[in-house]
């Protein structure tokens, strides 16, 4: 029996697909080279922008013929998209041949559900539950081992669906994280360990043992072993001086920070509920560069947020010009059902969004070419 996993979205999902692979291998499945060879196909989906969801609908739809040819083929859809009630229902109605729809909190029950489908039981949609710490991973990212340090997000940036599909922040205990990392080191296969969380800098806020992200980083660096440590993603409002100092001082920590700015304009940042200003963001960048001159810094930007004027977009443009990031991701704002921004008036037209995103990416290219020459 063979499985094939199709992964969309962020590193969190890439890592969760390693969990899916672990669960399926425990059931006796092995990995198929292509989806045509598979007995079970799992889509691990992303809901961050409409485009990501459209791709899933297209690709799941394409399996109808395969399912007709092979009635025993199991098709499962999980991940952030299925955590949205309306989308999950819409998926089941549009594609009645999908066997399993499982939300992000119920991944641990995939094995049980596969067994049920094999016995001919029909599936319902599940969207509540607890994350299981004991699940096996099949690590698939070469020399890099992902380690999840927390789930969810409390920030409710007004454009973002993550708090709705991943729930509130929940940090794993330092002990569990250290134990996982010790066993990764003992395997002797990985040169790099990357810590994952939607907002790693608020690690520990919900724990009562006094640990925070800086102390976690230090504790990991004290472990014996030859590895580089990296992490993502950092929210500018939570990146403390203490964390910057730890990155500067610890040899094992990679000198790299992904620090999404989202916009360079204070009115838009406020509407986004980001809780920092352009000036504050720039002061953090200056601090990082003063303490860690070799640090690579990358960022995310959203253009065409509701009511963003040309001048306000130009503030984003000038921020990118001023900071000269090592690279940026620029996204056109995509309204997500249920978020505050999706209900705002003055949504921006697609033409304007395209124009702004292209200008920002052209600037990034120009900066990179100049830096490469240098
Ligand atoms: N529309 C466009 N981009 C978004 N992002 C998050 N939500 C949206 C949205 N609704 C972007 C942000 C975030 C990155 C992972 O995706 O820039 O940092
Ligand atoms: Fe979304 Fe904001 Fe949380 Fe990042 S910090 S996951 S953008 S709500």
């Amino acid at each position: 029996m063979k499985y094939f996993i199709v992964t969309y979205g962020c590193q969190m999902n890439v890592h969760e697909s390693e969990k899916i692979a672990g669960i399926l291998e425990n059931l006796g499945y092995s990995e198929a080279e292509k989806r045509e060879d598979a007995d079970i196909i799992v889509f691990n989906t992303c809901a961050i922008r409409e485009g990501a969801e459209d791709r899933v609908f297209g690709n799941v739809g394409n399996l109808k013929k395969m399912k007709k040819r092979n009635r025993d083929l199991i098709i499962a859809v999980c991940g952030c998209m299925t955590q949205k009630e309306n989308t999950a229902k819409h998926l089941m109605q549009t594609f009645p041949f999908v066997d399993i729809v499982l939300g992000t909190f119920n991944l641990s029950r995939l094995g049980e559900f596969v067994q049920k489908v094999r016995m001919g039981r029909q599936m319902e949609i599940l969207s509540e539950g607890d994350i299981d710490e004991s699940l096996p991973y099949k690590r698939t990212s070469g020399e890099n081992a992902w380690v999840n340090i927390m789930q969810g997000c409390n920030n409710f940036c007004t454009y973002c669906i993550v708090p709705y599909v991943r729930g509130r922040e929940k940090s794993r205990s330092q002990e569990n994280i250290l134990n996982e990392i010790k066993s990764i080191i003992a395997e002797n296969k990985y040169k790099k360990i990357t810590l994952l969380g939607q907002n790693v800098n608020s690690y520990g806020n919900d724990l009562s043992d006094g640990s925070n992200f800086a102390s976690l980083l230090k504790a990991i660096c004290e472990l014996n072993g030859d590895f580089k440590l990296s992490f993502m993603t950092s929210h500018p409002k939570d990146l403390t001086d203490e964390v910057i100092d730890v990155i500067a001082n610890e040899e094992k920590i990679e000198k790299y920070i992904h620090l999404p700015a989202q916009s360079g304009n204070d009115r838009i940042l406020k509407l986004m509920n980001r809780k920092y200003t352009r000036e504050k963001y720039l002061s953090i960048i200056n601090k990082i560069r003063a303490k860690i001159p070799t640090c690579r810094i990358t960022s995310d930007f959203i253009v065409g947020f509701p009511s963003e004027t040309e001048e306000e977009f130009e503030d984003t443009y000038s921020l990118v010009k001023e900071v000269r990031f090592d690279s940026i991701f620029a996204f056109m704002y995509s309204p997500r059902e249920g978020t505050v921004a999706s209900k705002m008036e003055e949504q921006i037209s697609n033409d304007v969004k395209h124009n702004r995103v292209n200008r920002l990416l052209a600037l990034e290219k120009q900066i990179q070419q100049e830096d490469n020459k240098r």
Side-chain angles (χ1 to χ4, degrees):
M1 303 285 271
K2 295 205 169 292
Y3 69 85
F4 190 82
I5 303 171
V6 189
T7 307
Y8 301 86
C10 65
Q11 280 77 11
M12 193 75 83
N13 264 16
V14 172
H15 186 40
E16 270 169 10
S17 287
E18 296 182 336
K19 198 179 259 187
I20 294 170
I23 294 172
L24 294 174
E25 297 213 347
N26 262 11
L27 287 180
Y29 285 87
S30 59
E31 193 178 356
E33 267 177 33
K34 47 189 196 310
R35 67 186 80 187
E36 288 73 23
D37 299 337
D39 300 284
I40 176 166
I41 301 177
V42 184
F43 289 89
N44 191 8
T45 63
C46 168
I48 201 98
R49 280 170 293 274
E50 200 177 346
E53 294 199 350
D54 290 346
R55 275 197 296 279
V56 170
F57 270 95
N59 284 327
V60 174
N62 286 342
L63 292 186
K64 195 173 172 181
K65 272 197 207 129
M66 262 176 86
K67 184 83 179 186
K68 260 194 181 150
R69 257 183 275 131
N70 174 7
R71 293 224 140 262
D72 292 331
L73 173 68
I74 299 177
I75 299 174
V77 185
C78 58
C80 290
M81 235 175 110
T82 60
Q83 198 63 36
K84 291 161 61 193
E85 204 185 324
N86 285 345
T87 315
K89 278 190 190 140
H90 184 45
L91 249 164
M92 294 292 261
Q93 279 158 4
T94 319
F95 308 121
F97 54 87
V98 168
D99 301 285
I100 302 173
V101 177
L102 217 51
T104 49
F105 295 97
N106 295 285
L107 204 51
S108 54
R109 298 184 62 189
L110 179 66
E112 170 199 336
F113 274 53
V114 171
Q115 304 279 35
K116 280 186 185 165
V117 172
R118 278 177 172 174
M119 291 185 302
R121 295 259 299 273
Q122 193 129 43
M123 284 305 102
E124 76 260 54
I125 298 165
L126 266 190
S127 61
E128 277 170 37
D130 263 331
I131 288 145
D132 188 343
E133 283 259 340
S134 64
L135 289 170
Y137 286 106
K138 187 196 175 214
R139 298 192 186 276
T140 55
S141 295
E143 292 183 339
N144 176 59
W146 306 106
V147 174
N148 216 341
I149 62 166
M150 62 199 298
Q151 302 283 345
C153 182
N154 291 350
N155 287 319
F156 288 93
C157 301
T158 54
Y159 51 81
C160 186
I161 192 77
V162 167
Y164 302 89
V165 294
R166 295 266 175 187
R168 295 302 82 75
E169 270 172 27
K170 206 168 171 199
S171 306
R172 286 177 71 196
S173 75
Q174 189 153 314
E175 189 189 351
N176 280 349
I177 296 170
L178 290 175
N179 282 341
E180 183 177 343
I181 294 182
K182 279 182 204 158
S183 66
I184 288 170
I185 296 171
E187 273 189 73
N188 220 357
K189 283 201 311 219
Y190 306 99
K191 293 205 168 121
K192 185 170 161 187
I193 294 167
T194 306
L195 310 179
L196 291 177
Q198 305 296 344
N199 181 14
V200 288
N201 293 280
S202 64
Y203 172 80
N205 284 355
D206 58 324
L207 298 176
S208 52
D209 62 0
S211 55
N212 62 21
F213 189 51
S215 67
L216 176 70
L217 286 175
K218 275 195 231 161
I220 297 171
C221 290
E222 275 166 21
L223 297 175
N224 282 330
D226 185 17
F227 62 90
K228 275 275 176 209
L229 185 61
S230 190
F231 55 86
M232 62 178 70
T233 292
S234 296
H235 192 305
K237 80 174 168 57
D238 297 313
L239 183 64
T240 59
D241 291 1
E242 199 188 355
V243 168
I244 299 176
D245 286 336
V246 176
I247 301 168
N249 297 334
E250 294 287 351
E251 230 173 78
K252 281 180 174 143
I253 301 183
E254 195 182 358
K255 309 304 172 211
Y256 167 56
I257 302 178
H258 182 58
L259 197 64
Q262 312 297 2
S263 167
N265 174 269
D266 286 349
R267 191 187 72 92
I268 296 294
L269 285 170
K270 194 150 199 199
L271 281 180
M272 287 175 164
N273 191 30
R274 290 292 288 178
K275 300 197 172 86
Y276 53 84
T277 59
R278 175 194 181 98
E279 196 188 333
K280 176 85 206 295
Y281 185 86
L282 284 171
S283 77
I284 300 169
I285 297 286
N286 289 338
K287 224 182 275 174
I288 296 171
R289 291 199 166 142
K291 288 188 173 165
I292 322 166
T294 57
C295 194
R296 282 189 305 123
I297 306 175
T298 58
S299 195
D300 291 347
F301 289 92
I302 296 176
V303 303
F305 186 83
S307 80
E308 184 189 63
T309 64
E310 177 61 24
E311 290 73 35
E312 286 167 339
F313 164 71
E314 279 166 18
D315 284 341
T316 296
Y317 191 91
S318 72
L319 181 77
V320 172
K321 211 167 179 175
E322 192 172 336
V323 176
R324 300 184 75 87
F325 294 98
D326 291 273
S327 81
I328 61 162
F329 296 93
F331 305 106
M332 292 187 287
Y333 167 72
S334 168
R336 308 283 60 217
E337 196 189 338
T339 60
V340 172
S342 69
K343 296 182 206 92
M344 288 178 183
E345 284 170 16
E346 293 185 69
Q347 297 282 331
I348 305 292
S349 74
N350 272 340
D351 282 353
V352 172
K353 286 184 202 165
H354 272 292
N355 175 285
R356 291 181 186 168
V357 90
N358 287 338
R359 277 150 70 196
L360 207 55
L361 291 173
L363 172 64
E364 192 221 1
K365 200 169 161 195
Q366 184 198 325
I367 293 173
Q368 279 188 342
Q369 280 170 351
E370 288 166 6
D371 286 353
N372 285 347
K373 249 188 222 153
R374 203 174 307 141

